[in-house]
Amino acid sequence: MKFNRQLRYYYLRFVRLKGEPNELALGMALGVFTGMMPIMPFQIALAVTLALLLKGSKITAAIGTWISNPFNWYLIYFYDYKIGASLLGIP
């Protein structure tokens, strides 16, 4: 019961974020972009820095980095490697 209430609370806080839609979307895009990079301890710092420089939402940038979590690290890094190897012409 308490977990559901807390989950709903954080969901409502996320939905009610203040800001322009393009600012929120830019922050989320920057967060997802840096979430795909293999720099584990620095993803949030880089996302927030980019959001500051490009005038995006810092909160949604930090939330967007959560796309990379322990459950999907293997898939993200495997496909990052495959795409990078094909772009560089490495077998």
Side-chain angles (χ1 to χ4, degrees):
M1 178 75 173
K2 188 175 182 180
F3 177 73
N4 288 337
R5 183 177 174 150
Q6 190 174 20
L7 187 65
R8 180 160 172 76
Y9 170 73
Y10 286 116
Y11 169 75
L12 290 174
R13 280 190 63 187
F14 179 71
V15 171
R16 295 176 183 159
L17 282 172
K18 302 270 190 271
E20 294 292 320
N22 60 346
E23 190 178 292
L24 296 172
L26 178 63
M28 184 62 73
L30 291 170
V32 171
F33 173 73
T34 57
M36 293 294 181
M37 292 183 177
I39 53 171
M40 274 307 149
F42 306 111
Q43 289 175 335
I44 292 177
L46 181 62
V48 171
T49 303
L50 287 174
L52 281 169
L53 293 173
L54 299 174
K55 295 181 177 47
S57 172
K58 278 110 11 228
I59 294 173
T60 56
I63 291 171
T65 60
W66 294 350
I67 192 167
S68 64
N69 58 47
F71 297 114
N72 60 9
W73 280 342
Y74 175 76
L75 292 174
I76 288 173
Y77 295 134
F78 176 74
Y79 287 112
D80 281 349
Y81 171 77
K82 287 294 193 182
I83 291 170
S86 68
L87 289 174
L88 295 173
I90 299 171

